Amino acid sequence: MVFNVNILTLFPDMFPGALNDGITGRALENGLWSVNAVNIRDFAKDNYKTVDDTPFGGGAGMVMKADIISDAVESIQPRGRMIYMSPRGKVLNQKLARELSSEENLTILCGRYEGVDQRVLDHYEFEEISIGDYVLSGGELGAMVLIDSCVRLLDGAVGNDETTLNESHENGLLEHPHYTRPAVWSAPDGSELSVPDVLSSGHHKNIDEWRKCEAEALTRENRPDMWQKYENNG
Ligand code: SAM
């Protein structure tokens, strides 16, 4: 199954953009996913290619027009699950990324300006998804984050699928620290920094235990919210 993503945007040239590199780029080349960026401006109805208008009720900024977005939406088939990138949405997490990565088709609407006329969101029952509690200038970067988080979970995208199963957020914990050669690194200030002994011991049970302890300590320190849930789940 190919993971097909339609993007409704005023900046179609942004796609695949950064997604053309690394794991997502390889997966695109290997046909694991596809991207179809639709230019909302192509559906504008006047010579000025207007896609926005002033908000009813007054106030600053412009709002993207329902009729134009609707025409852009109607041009796409099949649409699958419909997502509006929005700082008002539920926050993207690993569980949601896993869920979305099992869809065959996604249609992602990227807002600009003050956002989109609410009627088009209601009519098509767009699901609002945020990538975090801050405001971006547009939905495109958020869409890329969402797509990246899904694509790396597709079968065959990451060399060893075990890797994604052990990553941060998969089991309620952040991931343990990693080390690679040299076993002793001479830092620029002259200090000699060694790898924890247990990692070169070859004792797999002790290594697993060490990694779990480190993951727990990191989670407790950096994400008390996650730690609370992890402890409650026993
Ligand atoms: N006026 C809107 C508000 O306060 O909720 C913010 C509009 S923002 C300047 C323009 C567009 O950027 C939004 O329509 C949305 O598509 C996108 N966007 C901004 N922040 C985002 C976030 N945290 N996650 C996902 N998309 C975001």
Side-chain angles (χ1 to χ4, degrees), residues 84-88 109-116 129-139 142:
Y84 170 49
M85 299 313 302
S86 162
R88 305 183 308 201
L109 171 60
C110 302
R112 283 273 158 174
Y113 319 119
E114 284 308 312
V116 172
I129 297 181
S130 164
I131 62 156
D133 294 340
Y134 39 80
V135 178
L136 302 167
S137 312

Side-chain angles (χ1 to χ4, degrees), residues 51-65:
V51 292
D52 56 336
D53 207 337
T54 52
F56 274 113
M62 300 295 274
V63 178
M64 292 173 75
K65 290 161 70 64

Side-chain angles (χ1 to χ4, degrees), residues 154-187:
L154 299 176
D155 276 350
V158 173
N160 174 359
D161 290 338
E162 276 293 296
T163 314
T164 61
L165 287 175
N166 294 327
E167 277 178 322
S168 296
H169 302 287
E170 280 292 350
N171 52 9
L173 289 174
L174 302 177
E175 200 184 41
H176 56 78
H178 298 280
Y179 299 88
T180 187
R181 276 183 277 274
V184 179
W185 170 54
S186 308

